[in-house]
């Protein structure tokens, strides 16, 4: 089946995408990455301030 992506409703496109990738998302790994995000941002900000 072929669809023009820009012709799809935004919510429908979101739902289709999420249904497709959901089985491949490791929730525990995602939670770890998201939990580490503020620390990584702080390190990047400190680096940029020194540059």
């Amino acid at each position: 089946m072929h669809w023009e992506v820009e012709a799809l409703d935004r919510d429908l496109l979101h739902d289709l995408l999420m249904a497709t990738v959901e089985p491949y998302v490791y929730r525990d790994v995602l939670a770890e990455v998201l939990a580490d995000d503020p620390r990584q941002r702080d390190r990047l900000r400190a680096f940029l301030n020194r540059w």
Side-chain angles (χ1 to χ4, degrees):
M1 183 179 300
H2 177 79
W3 291 337
E4 296 294 330
V5 174
E6 60 272 1
L8 293 175
D9 175 71
R10 181 180 177 169
D11 292 333
L12 175 59
L13 180 59
H14 177 267
D15 292 345
L16 289 170
L17 177 65
M18 293 307 292
T20 302
V21 301
E22 185 71 30
Y24 304 101
V25 174
Y26 297 102
R27 294 273 174 197
D28 53 338
V29 175
L30 178 60
E32 288 178 25
V33 169
L34 293 176
D36 194 42
D37 188 60
R39 186 182 68 80
Q40 291 181 17
R41 285 182 193 210
D42 290 344
R43 290 179 64 199
L44 180 57
R45 188 175 292 115
F47 171 80
L48 290 174
N49 287 337
R50 287 190 312 262
W51 192 23

